[in-house]
Amino acid sequence: MSVKENLKKILIEGLNLEDITVDDIQDDMPLFGEGLGLDSLDVVELIVLVQKHFGVEIKDMEEGRPALQTVNTLADFIEKRRAA
Amino acid sequence: MPAAERGSAGWSSRSVGSRLQHRIFYLLIGLGGRRPAYALLYLVVLYYVLFRPSLRRRSYPYLRRRFPRQPPRLVDSFRMSLALGQVLVDRATVGILGPAALRVGLEGRKELIDLVAEGRGLILMTAHVGCWQVAMSAFDFLQAPVNLLLQREDGDIDRHYFEHAGIESPYRIIDPRGFLGGTLEMIAALKRGEVLSVMGDRMLGNDRNGIEADFLGAPVRFPYSAYKLASATGAPVAILLSAKTGPDVYALRLCSVLRVPAGLGRKAADFAPFAARFAEILEQYCGEHPYQFFNFFDLWEPSPASPANARSRK
């Protein structure tokens, strides 16, 4: 399973997104606000989930802001971190 | 100066006084200290309470709950507004004349030092009571950077004590209107073992993440983001409230330390016991200091449930 697919699955299960399937989440769909509809508190859980499932830590705003835009950007961030 | 204007979120940090009125107070403090400023304050508050009924009425929701056996009285509204005005004068006094102008006692100093030494960050939860800024000016002993979640509105002319003193802010301000409500910055600060100061009694502008807890006899929506941060980072939550206990004396008290278990997830209900404990402490405070509660809006007014929250947080 690709990082993107895995990430979508983790988002749905970890954040208890009801009535949403992996197919409903587009790669370039914004994670927060319009799009997937996550809000500021969800980022706490999301950071914990990314660390737990991928072993990647989002340390601060500089890293987090570009990474936490879409599934694409977050998956890229995870892949780059794991490759480093 | 004595009260705040109401905004779209139900409250506003903006002063009702004009820039000129503020300057007059600052001038009096600079020339003669607190006393002449207090003297003028009595007249100003009296004017607002007598001739600005719309401002006076903002104290009524709290007064009705705090003193349920009687309708809100002018004298109670006056005392509440005067107490806020005095706190603002004191805050300016610290900035203009220096920290020695006030005495600040702290109960729980060693416990706070020990909490910071745990290295998991510390969430200092306070409320709009007493003078939290005076409290902040006394945190040097913690020997850890202090971050403050603070929503400052455009056009707010009220100065913080460090702005009066012309010094750099002793704490780093995190704006909840920033990217993701400043959550990333808050997590980063706690991971660095720093102190994060938050207000536990008000929902911030775009923060829909509240949970109800009984406060003075009826449910109030309190924010629970701090408890969620504590669960995610392992940081303890120290509830610290301040009160003016004498003309130039403030008492800071560590009321309780909350340990939020890790992995509580995202259901609001899981954080309800912590909000309830905070509400209980706040109620106790209001019993002891009935006129030092500075939320001049209707906390008990039901807020429409967010569709997003209704979908996934119940």
Side-chain angles (χ1 to χ4, degrees), chain B residues 229-275:
Chain B
L229 280 170
S231 175
T233 61
V237 180
I239 300 175
L240 188 80
L241 300 179
S242 68
K244 185 176 170 73
T245 53
D248 61 349
V249 185
Y250 278 85
L252 274 173
R253 187 153 64 99
L254 175 61
C255 303
S256 184
V257 177
L258 306 182
R259 302 278 183 175
V260 185
L264 276 192
R266 70 197 302 265
K267 286 184 182 170
D270 292 337
F271 300 96
F274 305 103

Tab-separated table of all heavy atoms in Angstrom, chain B residues 229-275:
chain	number	residue	atom	x	y	z
B	229	LEU	N	-4.294	18.981	23.971
B	229	LEU	CA	-2.841	19.161	23.828
B	229	LEU	C	-2.100	18.400	24.933
B	229	LEU	O	-1.064	17.789	24.690
B	229	LEU	CB	-2.487	20.652	23.931
B	229	LEU	CG	-2.696	21.510	22.694
B	229	LEU	CD1	-2.542	22.977	23.050
B	229	LEU	CD2	-1.710	21.128	21.600
B	230	ALA	N	-2.658	18.462	26.131
B	230	ALA	CA	-2.034	17.760	27.262
B	230	ALA	C	-2.026	16.254	27.020
B	230	ALA	O	-1.041	15.569	27.313
B	230	ALA	CB	-2.788	18.088	28.548
B	231	SER	N	-3.114	15.749	26.461
B	231	SER	CA	-3.196	14.315	26.189
B	231	SER	C	-2.184	13.901	25.125
B	231	SER	O	-1.567	12.845	25.213
B	231	SER	CB	-4.618	13.966	25.728
B	231	SER	OG	-4.707	12.626	25.341
B	232	ALA	N	-1.995	14.762	24.129
B	232	ALA	CA	-1.091	14.435	23.026
B	232	ALA	C	0.379	14.572	23.407
B	232	ALA	O	1.224	13.849	22.897
B	232	ALA	CB	-1.394	15.326	21.827
B	233	THR	N	0.681	15.504	24.303
B	233	THR	CA	2.090	15.796	24.605
B	233	THR	C	2.546	15.272	25.967
B	233	THR	O	3.743	15.185	26.221
B	233	THR	CB	2.342	17.321	24.592
B	233	THR	OG1	1.510	17.927	25.603
B	233	THR	CG2	2.011	17.917	23.237
B	234	GLY	N	1.611	14.953	26.836
B	234	GLY	CA	1.980	14.516	28.188
B	234	GLY	C	2.215	15.671	29.137
B	234	GLY	O	2.607	15.479	30.299
B	235	ALA	N	1.984	16.897	28.667
B	235	ALA	CA	2.206	18.067	29.531
B	235	ALA	C	1.133	18.147	30.615
B	235	ALA	O	-0.046	17.948	30.330
B	235	ALA	CB	2.173	19.348	28.697
B	236	PRO	N	1.531	18.414	31.848
B	236	PRO	CA	0.517	18.638	32.896
B	236	PRO	C	-0.176	19.988	32.707
B	236	PRO	O	0.391	20.895	32.096
B	236	PRO	CB	1.333	18.620	34.192
B	236	PRO	CG	2.721	18.947	33.787
B	236	PRO	CD	2.899	18.527	32.360
B	237	VAL	N	-1.391	20.085	33.216
B	237	VAL	CA	-2.140	21.347	33.150
B	237	VAL	C	-2.229	21.918	34.567
B	237	VAL	O	-2.815	21.294	35.456
B	237	VAL	CB	-3.569	21.132	32.601
B	237	VAL	CG1	-4.326	22.463	32.534
B	237	VAL	CG2	-3.533	20.475	31.224
B	238	ALA	N	-1.620	23.075	34.759
B	238	ALA	CA	-1.653	23.720	36.071
B	238	ALA	C	-2.665	24.862	36.031
B	238	ALA	O	-2.536	25.781	35.220
B	238	ALA	CB	-0.270	24.264	36.423
B	239	ILE	N	-3.675	24.776	36.872
B	239	ILE	CA	-4.683	25.840	36.917
B	239	ILE	C	-4.233	26.883	37.944
B	239	ILE	O	-4.101	26.579	39.129
B	239	ILE	CB	-6.071	25.285	37.265
B	239	ILE	CG1	-6.493	24.265	36.200
B	239	ILE	CG2	-7.100	26.420	37.356
B	239	ILE	CD1	-7.804	23.564	36.507
B	240	LEU	N	-3.974	28.079	37.445
B	240	LEU	CA	-3.383	29.130	38.275
B	240	LEU	C	-4.252	30.379	38.163
B	240	LEU	O	-4.440	30.908	37.076
B	240	LEU	CB	-1.973	29.433	37.755
B	240	LEU	CG	-1.104	30.348	38.580
B	240	LEU	CD1	-0.486	29.587	39.743
B	240	LEU	CD2	0.012	30.933	37.734
B	241	LEU	N	-4.785	30.821	39.278
B	241	LEU	CA	-5.655	31.999	39.251
B	241	LEU	C	-5.076	33.104	40.136
B	241	LEU	O	-4.435	32.810	41.151
B	241	LEU	CB	-7.063	31.639	39.718
B	241	LEU	CG	-7.797	30.573	38.887
B	241	LEU	CD1	-9.177	30.295	39.462
B	241	LEU	CD2	-7.905	30.973	37.420
B	242	SER	N	-5.333	34.335	39.729
B	242	SER	CA	-4.810	35.464	40.495
B	242	SER	C	-5.964	36.280	41.064
B	242	SER	O	-7.061	36.290	40.508
B	242	SER	CB	-3.955	36.359	39.590
B	242	SER	OG	-4.763	37.002	38.629
B	243	ALA	N	-5.703	36.937	42.162
B	243	ALA	CA	-6.727	37.797	42.761
B	243	ALA	C	-6.050	39.004	43.397
B	243	ALA	O	-4.938	38.905	43.927
B	243	ALA	CB	-7.515	37.031	43.819
B	244	LYS	N	-6.738	40.124	43.314
B	244	LYS	CA	-6.242	41.326	43.994
B	244	LYS	C	-6.697	41.228	45.441
B	244	LYS	O	-7.898	41.174	45.715
B	244	LYS	CB	-6.835	42.567	43.316
B	244	LYS	CG	-6.325	43.902	43.834
B	244	LYS	CD	-6.927	45.016	42.989
B	244	LYS	CE	-6.665	46.392	43.566
B	244	LYS	NZ	-5.279	46.845	43.425
B	245	THR	N	-5.750	41.180	46.357
B	245	THR	CA	-6.110	40.948	47.753
B	245	THR	C	-5.831	42.164	48.639
B	245	THR	O	-6.109	42.138	49.828
B	245	THR	CB	-5.347	39.730	48.313
B	245	THR	OG1	-3.950	39.929	48.073
B	245	THR	CG2	-5.796	38.455	47.642
B	246	GLY	N	-5.258	43.194	48.042
B	246	GLY	CA	-4.996	44.423	48.789
B	246	GLY	C	-4.748	45.529	47.788
B	246	GLY	O	-4.682	45.273	46.586
B	247	PRO	N	-4.646	46.784	48.252
B	247	PRO	CA	-4.460	47.897	47.316
B	247	PRO	C	-3.303	47.676	46.339
B	247	PRO	O	-3.397	48.020	45.176
B	247	PRO	CB	-4.189	49.087	48.235
B	247	PRO	CG	-4.804	48.713	49.543
B	247	PRO	CD	-4.682	47.224	49.657
B	248	ASP	N	-2.213	47.103	46.833
B	248	ASP	CA	-1.075	46.879	45.937
B	248	ASP	C	-0.576	45.436	46.038
B	248	ASP	O	0.603	45.151	45.852
B	248	ASP	CB	0.060	47.858	46.244
B	248	ASP	CG	0.583	47.708	47.668
B	248	ASP	OD1	-0.073	46.998	48.469
B	248	ASP	OD2	1.645	48.273	47.983
B	249	VAL	N	-1.498	44.543	46.348
B	249	VAL	CA	-1.107	43.143	46.547
B	249	VAL	C	-1.947	42.206	45.675
B	249	VAL	O	-3.175	42.333	45.619
B	249	VAL	CB	-1.285	42.712	48.033
B	249	VAL	CG1	-0.756	41.295	48.239
B	249	VAL	CG2	-0.597	43.676	48.967
B	250	TYR	N	-1.271	41.296	45.012
B	250	TYR	CA	-1.954	40.245	44.251
B	250	TYR	C	-1.516	38.886	44.781
B	250	TYR	O	-0.363	38.696	45.172
B	250	TYR	CB	-1.600	40.327	42.760
B	250	TYR	CG	-2.424	41.367	42.035
B	250	TYR	CD1	-2.024	42.697	42.030
B	250	TYR	CD2	-3.597	41.027	41.388
B	250	TYR	CE1	-2.779	43.666	41.390
B	250	TYR	CE2	-4.363	41.987	40.746
B	250	TYR	CZ	-3.953	43.300	40.754
B	250	TYR	OH	-4.712	44.246	40.117
B	251	ALA	N	-2.461	37.974	44.802
B	251	ALA	CA	-2.151	36.605	45.232
B	251	ALA	C	-2.352	35.680	44.042
B	251	ALA	O	-3.397	35.703	43.395
B	251	ALA	CB	-3.068	36.200	46.378
B	252	LEU	N	-1.327	34.905	43.770
B	252	LEU	CA	-1.415	33.893	42.718
B	252	LEU	C	-1.506	32.547	43.404
B	252	LEU	O	-0.730	32.263	44.321
B	252	LEU	CB	-0.132	33.891	41.896
B	252	LEU	CG	0.010	34.855	40.744
B	252	LEU	CD1	1.423	34.780	40.211
B	252	LEU	CD2	-0.965	34.472	39.658
B	253	ARG	N	-2.444	31.716	42.951
B	253	ARG	CA	-2.584	30.425	43.614
B	253	ARG	C	-2.635	29.298	42.590
B	253	ARG	O	-3.406	29.360	41.620
B	253	ARG	CB	-3.854	30.401	44.453
B	253	ARG	CG	-3.980	29.141	45.302
B	253	ARG	CD	-4.812	29.411	46.529
B	253	ARG	NE	-6.177	29.770	46.194
B	253	ARG	CZ	-7.205	28.928	46.225
B	253	ARG	NH1	-7.018	27.678	46.583
B	253	ARG	NH2	-8.423	29.332	45.929
B	254	LEU	N	-1.797	28.306	42.809
B	254	LEU	CA	-1.881	27.093	42.004
B	254	LEU	C	-3.046	26.284	42.566
B	254	LEU	O	-2.940	25.687	43.635
B	254	LEU	CB	-0.565	26.309	42.095
B	254	LEU	CG	-0.552	24.952	41.392
B	254	LEU	CD1	-0.814	25.093	39.901
B	254	LEU	CD2	0.783	24.248	41.613
B	255	CYS	N	-4.160	26.285	41.860
B	255	CYS	CA	-5.389	25.686	42.400
B	255	CYS	C	-5.431	24.180	42.205
B	255	CYS	O	-5.978	23.458	43.044
B	255	CYS	CB	-6.612	26.308	41.724
B	255	CYS	SG	-6.690	28.096	41.894
B	256	SER	N	-4.898	23.714	41.102
B	256	SER	CA	-4.967	22.278	40.834
B	256	SER	C	-4.025	21.931	39.688
B	256	SER	O	-3.704	22.787	38.856
B	256	SER	CB	-6.403	21.892	40.450
B	256	SER	OG	-6.524	20.509	40.282
B	257	VAL	N	-3.577	20.692	39.673
B	257	VAL	CA	-2.783	20.186	38.543
B	257	VAL	C	-3.550	19.020	37.931
B	257	VAL	O	-3.882	18.050	38.623
B	257	VAL	CB	-1.377	19.717	38.999
B	257	VAL	CG1	-0.607	19.142	37.815
B	257	VAL	CG2	-0.611	20.871	39.627
B	258	LEU	N	-3.868	19.141	36.650
B	258	LEU	CA	-4.613	18.084	35.963
B	258	LEU	C	-3.649	17.247	35.129
B	258	LEU	O	-2.814	17.782	34.413
B	258	LEU	CB	-5.680	18.687	35.043
B	258	LEU	CG	-6.668	19.687	35.667
B	258	LEU	CD1	-7.684	20.147	34.623
B	258	LEU	CD2	-7.392	19.065	36.840
B	259	ARG	N	-3.780	15.947	35.261
B	259	ARG	CA	-2.991	15.023	34.445
B	259	ARG	C	-3.957	14.368	33.463
B	259	ARG	O	-4.805	13.552	33.856
B	259	ARG	CB	-2.343	13.947	35.314
B	259	ARG	CG	-1.440	14.501	36.409
B	259	ARG	CD	-0.076	14.834	35.872
B	259	ARG	NE	0.810	15.295	36.937
B	259	ARG	CZ	2.090	15.562	36.738
B	259	ARG	NH1	2.641	15.421	35.541
B	259	ARG	NH2	2.836	15.994	37.730
B	260	VAL	N	-3.831	14.722	32.210
B	260	VAL	CA	-4.742	14.180	31.196
B	260	VAL	C	-4.096	12.936	30.600
B	260	VAL	O	-2.977	13.006	30.089
B	260	VAL	CB	-5.012	15.227	30.089
B	260	VAL	CG1	-6.049	14.706	29.107
B	260	VAL	CG2	-5.486	16.538	30.708
B	261	PRO	N	-4.777	11.797	30.653
B	261	PRO	CA	-4.181	10.566	30.132
B	261	PRO	C	-3.850	10.680	28.645
B	261	PRO	O	-4.551	11.372	27.899
B	261	PRO	CB	-5.279	9.514	30.357
B	261	PRO	CG	-6.186	10.094	31.372
B	261	PRO	CD	-6.120	11.580	31.212
B	262	ALA	N	-2.803	9.972	28.232
B	262	ALA	CA	-2.420	9.979	26.817
B	262	ALA	C	-3.454	9.216	25.993
B	262	ALA	O	-4.142	8.330	26.499
B	262	ALA	CB	-1.047	9.339	26.657
B	263	GLY	N	-3.551	9.589	24.742
B	263	GLY	CA	-4.369	8.837	23.792
B	263	GLY	C	-5.863	8.945	24.020
B	263	GLY	O	-6.607	8.015	23.697
B	264	LEU	N	-6.327	10.065	24.531
B	264	LEU	CA	-7.772	10.197	24.738
B	264	LEU	C	-8.536	10.365	23.429
B	264	LEU	O	-9.746	10.265	23.394
B	264	LEU	CB	-8.077	11.383	25.660
B	264	LEU	CG	-8.002	11.125	27.155
B	264	LEU	CD1	-8.615	12.278	27.934
B	264	LEU	CD2	-8.702	9.833	27.550
B	265	GLY	N	-7.813	10.676	22.354
B	265	GLY	CA	-8.475	10.761	21.054
B	265	GLY	C	-9.172	12.077	20.822
B	265	GLY	O	-8.768	13.106	21.341
B	266	ARG	N	-10.240	12.058	20.043
B	266	ARG	CA	-10.844	13.316	19.602
B	266	ARG	C	-12.271	13.510	20.057
B	266	ARG	O	-12.925	14.467	19.656
B	266	ARG	CB	-10.741	13.425	18.083
B	266	ARG	CG	-11.617	12.471	17.329
B	266	ARG	CD	-11.199	12.336	15.889
B	266	ARG	NE	-11.196	13.567	15.133
B	266	ARG	CZ	-12.212	13.981	14.389
B	266	ARG	NH1	-13.313	13.287	14.337
B	266	ARG	NH2	-12.114	15.073	13.691
B	267	LYS	N	-12.789	12.614	20.875
B	267	LYS	CA	-14.163	12.801	21.338
B	267	LYS	C	-14.204	13.844	22.451
B	267	LYS	O	-13.499	13.725	23.453
B	267	LYS	CB	-14.723	11.478	21.858
B	267	LYS	CG	-15.060	10.494	20.747
B	267	LYS	CD	-15.698	9.260	21.340
B	267	LYS	CE	-15.994	8.265	20.228
B	267	LYS	NZ	-16.385	6.957	20.758
B	268	ALA	N	-15.074	14.826	22.256
B	268	ALA	CA	-15.175	15.905	23.231
B	268	ALA	C	-15.531	15.370	24.616
B	268	ALA	O	-15.019	15.852	25.634
B	268	ALA	CB	-16.222	16.912	22.768
B	269	ALA	N	-16.396	14.376	24.657
B	269	ALA	CA	-16.879	13.867	25.947
B	269	ALA	C	-15.741	13.354	26.826
B	269	ALA	O	-15.829	13.405	28.054
B	269	ALA	CB	-17.899	12.761	25.704
B	270	ASP	N	-14.669	12.871	26.203
B	270	ASP	CA	-13.545	12.343	26.981
B	270	ASP	C	-12.845	13.438	27.784
B	270	ASP	O	-12.137	13.154	28.743
B	270	ASP	CB	-12.533	11.660	26.051
B	270	ASP	CG	-13.104	10.386	25.450
B	270	ASP	OD1	-14.033	9.821	26.061
B	270	ASP	OD2	-12.634	9.973	24.377
B	271	PHE	N	-13.022	14.676	27.349
B	271	PHE	CA	-12.343	15.783	28.021
B	271	PHE	C	-13.268	16.522	28.998
B	271	PHE	O	-12.845	17.453	29.667
B	271	PHE	CB	-11.781	16.760	26.974
B	271	PHE	CG	-10.787	16.102	26.053
B	271	PHE	CD1	-11.177	15.608	24.820
B	271	PHE	CD2	-9.466	15.946	26.440
B	271	PHE	CE1	-10.273	14.983	23.977
B	271	PHE	CE2	-8.552	15.315	25.609
B	271	PHE	CZ	-8.963	14.838	24.374
B	272	ALA	N	-14.508	16.069	29.049
B	272	ALA	CA	-15.498	16.743	29.899
B	272	ALA	C	-15.091	16.796	31.380
B	272	ALA	O	-15.296	17.835	32.030
B	272	ALA	CB	-16.863	16.083	29.742
B	273	PRO	N	-14.526	15.731	31.947
B	273	PRO	CA	-14.172	15.805	33.377
B	273	PRO	C	-13.164	16.905	33.691
B	273	PRO	O	-13.206	17.495	34.774
B	273	PRO	CB	-13.547	14.421	33.667
B	273	PRO	CG	-14.078	13.534	32.598
B	273	PRO	CD	-14.250	14.401	31.389
B	274	PHE	N	-12.304	17.198	32.736
B	274	PHE	CA	-11.281	18.220	32.984
B	274	PHE	C	-11.898	19.625	32.911
B	274	PHE	O	-11.561	20.498	33.703
B	274	PHE	CB	-10.130	18.061	31.988
B	274	PHE	CG	-9.566	16.668	32.011
B	274	PHE	CD1	-9.878	15.756	31.025
B	274	PHE	CD2	-8.778	16.242	33.072
B	274	PHE	CE1	-9.398	14.456	31.066
B	274	PHE	CE2	-8.295	14.946	33.133
B	274	PHE	CZ	-8.610	14.053	32.125
B	275	ALA	N	-12.794	19.810	31.941
B	275	ALA	CA	-13.506	21.093	31.854
B	275	ALA	C	-14.372	21.287	33.103
B	275	ALA	O	-14.484	22.395	33.628
B	275	ALA	CB	-14.364	21.135	30.595
